[in-house]
DNA sequence: CTGAAAGCGCTTACAG
DNA sequence: CTGAAAGCGCTTACAG
């Protein structure tokens, strides 16, 4: 049997209260008592039972990250950033995949007795399920939920991408959007529209391709593009995710189209691999690990400080120029 | 304040013991009592406090996954598989990054009061830290630790890759290895050696390139390869990870080398993106989600059954033929 | 089938 | 600075 605090107390010849204090708030205990206790801890091999402490203190010691799709590498770096902050702060990181979690289960997950706080990476969750513990939203956000948001300016980022294509001389510009209803997809689409309209251009229906952020949907968009009239189809395409950009570029290349010779391609996110494919992909870099770290810090503040500040945290993005964008082909 | 079980008991006019039974083991309670209790639960809005139950039952309700590098997308799918099994079984999934966790902290993590069991994805951890709770190892393994291993036959997989290159007619074959000391890297290297030696070939020092599974190290290997005598350097290269294969291929392409025209490239893992780059990469597919699921099931069995079976679980791999391998160039 | 009571292993007012 | 005691919110032998 594992030694309990009372075993240590017996060995040290003090009360359990004193052992507890010596361990958690040493400054409340005389130096010699402390030494006695530490000796007894050593001798008994005692280790604090966290579950018991947490129950007594009415906390769980854990933070739950709700991820739309754990299998998606995009979230790996964010989780890494979260873990980096949470670990040293003494919190456990719990993760759950919202895809494989039905709404009822979700309610059970977002439970004060399961986690002290939530980091929500899925903007599609029902707000009601998320009101019982402190929440911070990262990347995506639940519009109906009033809680701090750590994110980038998706609209401005999209404008930057379009501005880049226009600066290269492109006039026929296409956009492969993310899933309908997704807050990121809508913001990026809006930014694209705005940037084009400011220059007197407009995003016509034929140049707006459906997508869902996935590789496969980028490939689908490529198949549509390939069937369009070469004299009319976009010479520059901005895709709302790098995965889609890879799928798009891979497919058009396979059909003998040169990137960026025949078509310029720009993605979004700057996931790791795309710097190493051929041609390396121009993209908008999102500081994923930093988003995770900030979200975690923000949540810790509201868990510890109890402060209820709720302004959004807007992180900067960066246009990363690589070889997949160039001047448009001469018609 | 949240209602406790005693509130429900008062409203229902029964004891807390009865409420507890009605909720957890309804068959022990009369039908009418059960109805009374459920009504009282409804009325009070009662929700079970998991932390309290767990303390009483001497469990934590959580499983901890120890990941070598959370930011590495390779582990995303494995975690997804783990989550898929753990969630429905009522366990929380905790994750920790072993990179950002020093040995002392690790000891604290692998604590019975933190998690009921461990899924270890890092073969480099000290065995002593992992003996206090049930463990299953997945992908990698800690050689000194006797615990179930869910993995693939890395050696046989490497032999398959080499056999493929040889069947295409390659005779000068190179290998970019994983990090020294890593169990996977060593097994894949051993398989490579064996397969070559069986055919009377041998892996000379110039054809064995250092690597650490990362994109950057694949690129490094490419730089070495590029400097070697075109008439002597390998015409086919097997890399111990897809990331390295991407890095390698991207770099040689950038220097005007054709894949597979000038050099055939084969990776390992079948991560998602590589099917969509140009050319799509030939590789050895590792069933990552399935590895995660099996590891989780295995651990659940030893947590619930208490069974101590310890045979390894060997999952099949698959050689996925794509366009990055072909017959060697005519010298 | 149900209840009174002990206890999971801690922490923390309260009193001295 | 230290201890006795209550209590975090449950579950579970034990007795009836």
């Amino acid at each position: 049997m594992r030694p309990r605090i009372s075993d240590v107390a017996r060995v040290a010849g003090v009360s359990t209260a004193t052992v507890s204090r010596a361990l958690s708030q040493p400054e409340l205990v005389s130096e010699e008592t402390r030494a006695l206790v530490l000796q007894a801890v050593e001798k008994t091999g005692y280790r604090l039972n966290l579950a018991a402490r947490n129950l007594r203190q009415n906390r769980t010691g854990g933070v739950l990250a709700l991820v739309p799709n754990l299998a998606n590498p995009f979230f790996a770096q964010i989780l890494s950033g979260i873990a980096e902050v949470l670990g040293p702060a003494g919190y456990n990181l719990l993760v759950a995949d919202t895809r494989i979690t039905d709404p009822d289960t979700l309610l059970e997950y977002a439970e004060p007795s399961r986690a002290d706080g939530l980091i929500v990476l899925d903007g599609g969750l029902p707000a009601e399920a998320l009101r019982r513990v402190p929440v911070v939203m990262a990347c995506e956000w639940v519009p109906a939920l009033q809680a701090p948001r750590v994110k980038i300016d998706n609209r401005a980022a999209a404008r930057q991408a379009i501005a880049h294509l226009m600066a290269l001389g492109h006039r026929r510009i296409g956009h492969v959007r993310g899933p309908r209803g997704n807050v990121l997809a809508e913001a990026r689409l809006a930014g694209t529209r705005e940037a084009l309209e400011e220059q007197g251009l407009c995003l016509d229906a034929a140049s707006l391709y459906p997508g869902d952020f996935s590789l496969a949907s980028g490939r689908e968009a490529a198949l549509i593009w390939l069937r369009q009239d070469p004299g009319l189809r976009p010479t520059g395409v901005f895709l709302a995710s790098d995965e889609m950009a890879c799928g798009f570029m891979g497919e058009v290349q396979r059909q003998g189209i040169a990137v960026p010779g025949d078509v310029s391609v720009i993605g979004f996110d700057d996931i790791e691999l795309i710097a190493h494919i051929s041609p390396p992909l121009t993209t908008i870099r999102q500081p994923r690990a930093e988003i995770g770290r900030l979200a975690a810090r923000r949540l810790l503040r509201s868990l510890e400080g109890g402060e209820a500040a709720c302004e959004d945290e807007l992180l900067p993005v960066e246009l990363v120029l690589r070889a997949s964008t160039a001047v448009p082909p001469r018609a």
Side-chain angles (χ1 to χ4, degrees), chain A:
Chain A
M1 216 40 214
R2 296 183 52 164
R4 293 155 304 154
I5 200 171
S6 60
D7 298 315
V8 179
R10 193 165 9 80
V11 170
V14 298
S15 72
T16 58
T18 298
V19 175
S20 175
R21 288 192 200 101
L23 264 28
S24 311
Q25 310 175 70
E27 69 282 6
L28 294 185
V29 154
S30 80
E31 204 169 323
E32 37 185 347
T33 309
R34 204 183 315 155
L36 235 48
V37 169
L38 291 181
Q39 229 171 288
V41 165
E42 188 79 14
K43 188 166 166 196
T44 54
Y46 172 74
R47 319 215 67 210
L48 180 65
N49 182 317
L50 296 163
R53 160 188 281 183
N54 287 336
L55 176 61
R56 180 55 231 249
Q57 296 186 331
N58 222 322
R59 62 193 291 267
T60 69
V63 164
L64 173 63
L66 291 172
V67 183
N69 179 359
L70 263 181
N72 185 336
F74 177 81
F75 296 104
Q77 290 236 14
I78 300 181
L79 283 180
S80 174
I82 293 175
E84 212 177 291
V85 171
L86 249 31
Y91 281 86
N92 291 319
L93 170 56
L94 318 200
V95 300
D97 190 322
T98 55
R99 241 185 356 167
I100 58 179
T101 308
D102 60 300
D104 283 359
T105 320
L106 183 67
L107 250 158
E108 279 194 22
Y109 266 84
E111 247 278 325
S113 72
R114 197 183 294 266
D116 297 332
L118 253 42
I119 297 179
V120 175
L121 301 171
D122 181 345
L125 300 179
E128 315 76 56
L130 308 175
R131 296 197 200 279
R132 288 172 304 155
V133 293
V135 170
V136 167
M137 292 178 290
C139 284
E140 301 193 9
W141 60 93
V142 177
L145 192 66
Q146 193 182 326
R149 300 171 183 178
V150 176
K151 53 173 193 149
I152 58 162
D153 189 337
N154 288 280
R155 186 182 288 233
R159 297 170 57 124
Q160 228 177 109
I162 299 302
H164 168 58
L165 289 174
M166 301 220 292
L168 286 170
H170 292 270
R171 286 298 169 267
R172 300 201 310 271
I173 292 178
H175 178 55
V176 183
R177 54 165 299 155
R180 289 183 177 283
N182 177 285
V183 286
L184 306 176
E186 302 301 346
R188 291 171 197 173
L189 172 57
T192 299
R193 281 227 153 84
E194 277 173 24
L196 288 170
E197 283 164 11
E198 269 167 25
Q199 302 295 320
L201 300 175
C202 102
L203 185 68
D204 56 294
S207 304
L208 174 59
Y209 307 82
D212 60 9
F213 291 147
S214 76
L215 273 162
S217 70
R219 200 169 150 271
E220 297 292 327
L223 293 173
I224 300 174
W225 183 88
L226 284 162
R227 283 196 303 267
Q228 293 176 324
D229 181 338
L232 296 175
R233 67 190 176 192
T235 57
V237 179
F238 165 48
L239 300 98
S241 80
D242 282 343
E243 297 223 7
M244 292 198 296
C246 277
F248 185 95
M249 195 165 78
E251 185 60 29
V252 298
Q253 286 176 325
R254 206 163 304 131
Q255 310 279 340
I257 302 286
V259 178
D262 298 322
V263 61
S264 283
V265 173
I266 173 168
F268 204 109
D269 289 341
D270 197 27
I271 62 177
E272 229 201 332
L273 269 177
I274 61 155
H276 297 263
I277 62 180
S278 178
L281 200 62
T282 294
T283 194
I284 302 282
R285 175 179 299 156
Q286 236 186 122
R288 300 205 296 293
E290 184 63 13
I291 290 176
R293 284 190 288 263
L294 269 180
R297 279 196 212 109
R298 193 65 184 262
L299 185 61
L300 288 182
R301 244 186 292 152
S302 63
L303 292 182
E304 315 206 306
E307 153 215 359
C310 190
E311 335 83 61
D312 295 358
E313 200 110 41
L314 220 55
L315 276 80
V317 297
E318 182 188 349
L319 175 64
V320 182
L321 297 178
R322 297 211 184 89
S324 67
T325 47
V327 295
R330 310 191 158 235

